Structures are given as C-alpha cells and as structure tokens.
Amino acid sequence: MQKIIILDFGSQTTQLIGRRVRELDTFCEILPYNKYPEDDSDVIGVILSGSPLSVYADDAFHVDLGKIRGRLPILGICYGAQYMSHIYGGKVESAGTREYGRQNLAYVDTTCPLFKGFDAHSQVWMSHGDSITRIPEGAHVVASTETVENAAYYIPGEKPIFGTQFHPEVFHSLQGTLLLKNFVVDVCGSKQEWSADAFVETTVRELREQIGSDRVILGLSGGVDSSVVAVLLNKAIGEQLTCIFVDHGMLRKNEFEDVMRDYECLGLNVIGVDASERFLSDLAGVTEPEKKRKIIGRDFVEVFNDEARKITDAKWLAQGTIYPDRIESLNITGKVIKSHHNVGGLPEEMHLQLCEPLKWLFKDEVRRVGRSMGMPEHLITRHPFPGPGLAVRILGDITREKVRVLQDADDIFIRGLREYKVRLSGEEARAVLAAGVPADMQNGEIEVSLYDQIWQAGAILLSEVRSVGVMGDERTYENPVALRAVTSSDAMTADWAHLPYDFMAKVSNDIINKVKGVNRVCYDISSKPPATIEWE
C-alpha cells in the first residue's frame, strides 16, 4: 500500500499532520526523525514535522536526508523547512520575537505545485521563534507574508522539495488541506485508496486469516474504540468472540444497562459483570488519587481474569489500542510520556496472543469505520471517559452516595449538552466536520449539539469542600459541583469550551434544584497544559 512517511521532530501537531494526510484517503506512518525505514519501496513522499528546538542549537535533531532527496518528494513544515534550509546552504536565525498566530500571505506563486489553487491573501498560521533568512541553494521563494519574507520555498526537480514556515495542518491555515492535497495527491501521486470501507474489507479478511477458528476475548469499556473493535471482530468471526463488560460501580448514570442494551442490539456476545460491591468496598476510606487508580486497575484485572479463565479455549485477547496510544507511548527522546490503559495483567499461563485491529487508526478514523459498519451514532460520537470512571471525578473518598450525587449531576450536564443546538460557520464548522460529525452545510452553516463540539465533558464532585447556601428559608451546608468541558483534537492539549451563558445558567439551576446534596455549581476554565482534563 502506498504511504507517506512523517518524520517527527517533536512537534505537538505531528499527529495532526498525520490525520490530515489520512483525510486525503492516503495511508501515512509517523516515525521518530531518526527511524526512517530501511525498506521504503511503498513510500511515495516524506514530510518533516515541526519541533520545539532550533536547527542551529547544540541539541538540535539531525537526520540524513541523503537517501531521500532526489528519490522522493519532501515537504518540510516549520522546523522541517528550517532544517533543510540549514543543511542545504540557506540560513536560519532567531526571529527576535516569537512569530505566532494568524498571518495573511502577501505574495503567493500559484504556479508552484504546492500552491496550485491558492487565494491571493490566504490566511496561514505561524508558530516559530526562528526564521529562514536565506533560502537553500537552488530554491525559489513561493510565499511571503508582510513580516516573513521566506514563508515558503520550492526546489524544483523530478522529486521536488518544499518548505513552509507556517503550519498547513492546523485549521487556522484556511487552505492548509489544499496545500497538503497538492503535495500528497498531485506531487507524490497518491491513488487515495485508504478509506473506512477499504479498511473494514481488508481488516475483516485479515482477521479471519489471523484468527482462524480460535476464540477471542475482548474487554469492553462502552467507549468508541472497544465498541468498534467488537463490531469489527463480530463481523469477521461472529460467535468466536466473547466480550466482557465490567461494572465497577462508578460508571455514568444507567450506563451499564444502556451499554448492555446497545451491545445486544449490535448482536454481540457480551458477558456483563456487576462487580460494584467489590470495587466500592476496596475503595472505602481511600482519598489519595493514585492509590484509587491502582486499586481500580488491580480489581479490574482480577475480575476480568476470573471471567476470562472460564473461557478455557480462548487463544486471543483483543484490545482497542489505536495509533495515538502507540505514538504517545514514547516520545522522540525515548521517555515515557503517556501510557494507555487497555486491559493488561492477564496471567502468563493463559498464553493469549494480542489482537489489535485498530492499531493504525486515529480516533476520527475509528469513528468513520464505525459509521461504515452502520453502528449507532450515539456510540460513535461518545466522549472519552476515564477507565476509573467517576472515581477520578470525586475528590476524597468514594461512597455509593457520593457516586449517586455525581451521577445525577453529570447526567443533567451531559443530557443538556446533547439537547442544546448551535449553528456554526467558518473555522468552527470546518473543525466539527473534520472530526467526522455528520451535519449538513446550509448557507455556509451547520447545526450541531454542544456535545458534538466538545472533546470531553463531565462533572466533578468536590466532596471534601462544603459551601453555605440558602434553599427556601433554610441555610444549607452542602457540596459544590464543578463542570468541565474541553475542546481538543487528540487530548494532548485542550482548551476549556466557551459554553453559552444561557446554557450554563440552566444547567446550574437544574443541578442545584434536582440533585440532593449540591448547592453550588462552578465551571472549570483551565487549559491543558497546565491543568489536566481530569481532576485526579
């Protein structure tokens, strides 16, 4: 299969480049800058990502492009463009002040293959502290802004080289997708064969060949990834799949029953295990966040193991691991920066082989695959939910009553987000549509729910805090609830969602009036970093 290689120099938007390439129905693989494959016979082009480093610094990342230049087209973005300028006879210097934010092109050469079809003053997004003050030997300037003369350059040839100081992968570069299409499709010659339908057809065939007549166990969470894996495996091997869904007592309101009903409608063979008493008993009196997580993780593995042992002829363990899980496991310096929380710890004597059919997909692609297989939209668009559930949204010790209070408050918040409709246009509309949310554009606008605009949302019970209130003619001394809603593309960074005031007023009023034990509602307006999405 044709593919684009993206060499990662540490940019926070490297995954976004990958997603944009995949949106062009072209397979791509993100690799550390120094891990270019020995066999690149299926590679049609190379993209060099941005980086927080300076190309002239002592700790700068260096890559030998000798094997690539002249054989494959190359596109350098930000650091990638600066690096090629640095090694090919140009010059990169500090810009004095960081150039960050929206800029408009003052000059663009639309005869350059990279800028075919561009508007004269197209908006782009800059994010760099260095500037290319002299372009590489043999290069031509093909784009400038009022403040950045060498915003993009072009080295012609049978396998050309392009460099852009701006980031075409972000939504604020309004014709960034066109630029990437010009490179991936027109310059590199992608046949655009990578699609959700093609993935389903190919993966079902491969799963049948891989698994044969063996039995597979899958731990379900109710989330998008594990649900799509379940439907995909069910499509491939049917009754050979056994799914296990564990209720640890800290799911959302009615979630265990709702998810079991959904899975039954999908025709899945699911074992539902209510282990809430065990989890809540083991968590009694525990207030330290990390200890809570470890207890839940340990109990989950033990409960899952107990059920898995009953399936004596199982040969495979399926997991909903997706591509960002694997990319985020190690950064380019080799240090662990995030570990994913799929089922682990199965006894060695079970000798189960691992099956991860979504391991090459981004989250938005997982959703497209789900839609391709006809899954219900409410399962596909479900927000991420932490493995420990509401336990990491209750500050302090966990009790069944506290879980009840938080479930009720959270339910009002989430249902409100689903019911409140907004009309979007411009960048906001493009962002929602790019995330795969089904919506019809009419007169340049789309109508979606607040829920569809948001990456993740939920309520937090501040059970160690009591606040004074007045209800009726009496003073109250009860707990506050904090609401959290963030926008993001991959959860690596996130910003707080700017929810409408009238919506916030109604949700606050409903929670205080309908949830016994709550007399105050706050809204978390912290971004990530420095704050995390979850409170614990």
Side-chain angles (χ1 to χ4, degrees):
M1 180 190 297
Q2 290 181 324
K3 66 181 175 184
I4 297 288
I5 291 292
I6 300 170
L7 294 181
D8 181 17
F9 290 88
S11 171
Q12 288 187 337
T13 60
T14 299
Q15 284 194 40
L16 195 52
I17 301 172
R19 291 175 62 211
R20 296 291 171 262
V21 173
R22 296 279 185 90
E23 288 167 7
L24 295 169
D25 299 328
T26 304
F27 184 68
C28 68
E29 189 172 354
I30 298 173
L31 297 172
Y33 71 97
N34 56 354
K35 299 292 184 182
Y36 188 80
E38 289 295 323
D39 180 7
D40 64 353
S41 55
D42 53 356
V43 178
I44 59 173
V46 177
I47 297 177
L48 310 182
S49 84
S51 174
L53 303 177
S54 295
V55 297
Y56 49 77
D58 293 338
D59 59 350
F61 295 133
H62 297 281
V63 60
D64 182 5
L65 299 178
K67 182 181 177 181
I68 305 172
R69 184 176 185 181
R71 292 182 55 250
L72 295 166
I74 304 173
L75 169 61
I77 297 174
C78 199
Y79 181 95
Q82 294 168 1
Y83 181 76
M84 290 191 293
S85 181
H86 181 68
I87 64 173
Y88 292 145
K91 190 172 185 179
V92 178
E93 297 178 287
S94 172
T97 58
R98 185 174 179 81
E99 294 170 324
Y100 181 82
R102 295 175 177 85
Q103 298 279 344
N104 289 95
L105 296 181
Y107 161 74
V108 59
D109 181 358
T110 55
T111 66
C112 170
L114 197 64
F115 289 97
K116 184 178 68 175
F118 255 61
D119 297 335
H121 300 287
S122 187
Q123 178 181 292
V124 297
W125 184 264
M126 294 287 187
S127 179
H128 56 93
D130 296 328
S131 281
I132 299 170
T133 55
R134 186 172 68 239
I135 59 177
E137 293 179 2
H140 308 289
V141 175
V142 288
S144 305
T145 69
E146 288 187 2
T147 56
V148 181
E149 179 183 358
N150 302 317
Y153 61 80
Y154 168 40
I155 303 178
E158 185 178 348
K159 303 295 181 182
I161 291 175
F162 306 94
T164 69
Q165 288 257 88
F166 59 87
H167 287 265
E169 70 274 20
V170 303
F171 287 113
H172 303 298
S173 290
L174 299 187
Q175 292 185 288
T177 299
L178 174 61
L179 184 149
L180 291 171
K181 179 179 182 293
N182 288 341
F183 178 73
V184 171
V185 179
D186 296 345
V187 175
C188 298
S190 169
K191 297 177 182 177
Q192 296 185 282
E193 298 173 326
W194 176 260
S195 67
D197 290 345
F199 175 84
V200 171
E201 181 181 348
T202 301
T203 304
V204 165
R205 183 175 64 250
E206 291 174 349
L207 286 170
R208 287 171 179 161
E209 294 172 357
Q210 178 186 26
I211 294 167
S213 59
D214 295 342
R215 184 167 291 281
V216 180
I217 301 171
L218 169 63
L220 287 173
S221 68
V224 180
D225 303 333
S226 67
S227 298
V228 170
V229 168
V231 174
L232 192 59
L233 279 164
N234 190 54
K235 191 178 183 70
I237 61 172
E239 294 183 357
Q240 294 167 234
L241 172 67
T242 299
C243 303
I244 300 172
F245 181 35
V246 178
D247 179 7
H248 51 37
M250 290 153 288
L251 299 174
R252 281 181 156 144
K253 187 174 183 177
N254 301 323
E255 186 170 24
F256 185 69
E257 295 79 10
D258 291 345
V259 171
M260 286 296 291
R261 193 180 306 113
D262 281 333
Y263 287 151
E264 183 179 341
C265 292
L266 290 170
L268 300 177
N269 176 26
V270 184
I271 298 171
V273 183
D274 183 357
S276 55
E277 287 295 341
R278 172 177 178 167
F279 281 86
L280 290 169
S281 176
D282 289 349
L283 286 167
V286 178
T287 60
E288 204 278 313
E290 191 59 25
K291 190 173 181 181
K292 284 191 213 174
R293 286 179 175 272
K294 288 180 178 177
I295 290 171
I296 294 169
R298 179 202 67 201
D299 282 3
F300 184 87
V301 168
E302 290 177 358
V303 171
F304 187 88
N305 288 350
D306 289 344
E307 294 299 324
R309 284 192 184 95
K310 298 174 185 177
I311 308 168
T312 56
D313 57 344
K315 299 286 183 65
W316 298 85
L317 171 68
Q319 293 190 158
T321 309
I322 63 175
Y323 198 31
D325 293 331
R326 300 162 64 223
I327 297 171
E328 292 168 1
S329 296
L330 291 175
N331 69 7
I332 52 180
T333 63
K335 296 178 181 177
V336 175
I337 56 175
K338 179 180 180 183
S339 59
H340 56 83
H341 53 265
N342 287 322
V343 177
L346 286 170
E348 291 184 8
E349 65 267 19
M350 294 184 70
H351 302 296
L352 294 179
Q353 302 177 72
L354 198 59
C355 175
E356 299 176 305
L358 304 183
K359 65 184 180 182
W360 289 107
L361 299 188
F362 289 99
K363 178 73 78 173
D364 49 345
E365 292 177 305
V366 174
R367 292 191 168 108
R368 290 191 189 102
V369 167
R371 291 189 179 98
S372 175
M373 296 188 295
M375 291 177 61
E377 193 64 28
H378 70 272
L379 273 179
I380 294 169
T381 57
R382 187 176 187 266
H383 287 174
F385 188 64
L390 299 179
V392 294
R393 294 180 181 175
I394 296 175
L395 274 59
D397 66 321
I398 310 295
T399 67
R400 189 173 289 278
E401 174 60 15
K402 290 179 181 179
V403 171
R404 192 274 309 165
V405 170
L406 185 54
Q407 283 177 332
D408 288 347
D410 179 83
D411 184 58
I412 291 171
F413 185 34
I414 298 301
R415 280 192 293 107
L417 290 171
R418 289 187 181 278
E419 293 168 1
Y420 193 101
K421 303 297 182 182
V422 292
R423 298 198 67 83
L424 305 176
S425 61
E427 294 176 18
E428 291 182 316
R430 285 198 304 277
V432 170
L433 293 172
V437 175
D440 294 326
M441 181 79 77
Q442 294 182 356
N443 299 321
E445 290 186 331
I446 60 173
E447 183 179 81
V448 295
S449 70
L450 281 176
Y451 187 91
D452 289 331
Q453 276 190 282
I454 291 166
W455 172 267
Q456 191 168 340
I460 300 94
L461 179 64
L462 310 184
S463 65
E464 293 188 322
V465 177
R466 308 280 301 274
S467 68
V468 175
V470 178
M471 289 186 175
D473 296 323
E474 298 181 358
R475 290 169 67 84
T476 61
Y477 198 51
E478 296 176 329
N479 298 124
V481 161
L483 304 181
R484 179 80 158 138
V486 299
T487 57
S488 180
S489 61
D490 53 18
M492 295 293 286
T493 61
D495 194 13
W496 61 280
H498 295 223
L499 301 177
Y501 286 166
D502 62 330
F503 168 78
M504 296 297 294
K506 183 177 187 308
V507 166
S508 174
N509 189 60
D510 285 348
I511 290 174
I512 292 171
N513 286 334
K514 296 177 182 178
V515 182
K516 185 179 179 181
V518 176
N519 67 354
R520 191 178 298 269
V521 173
C522 311
Y523 188 52
D524 183 346
I525 59 170
S526 312
S527 62
K528 175 189 178 184
T532 55
I533 294 176
E534 299 297 340
W535 277 45
E536 287 195 346

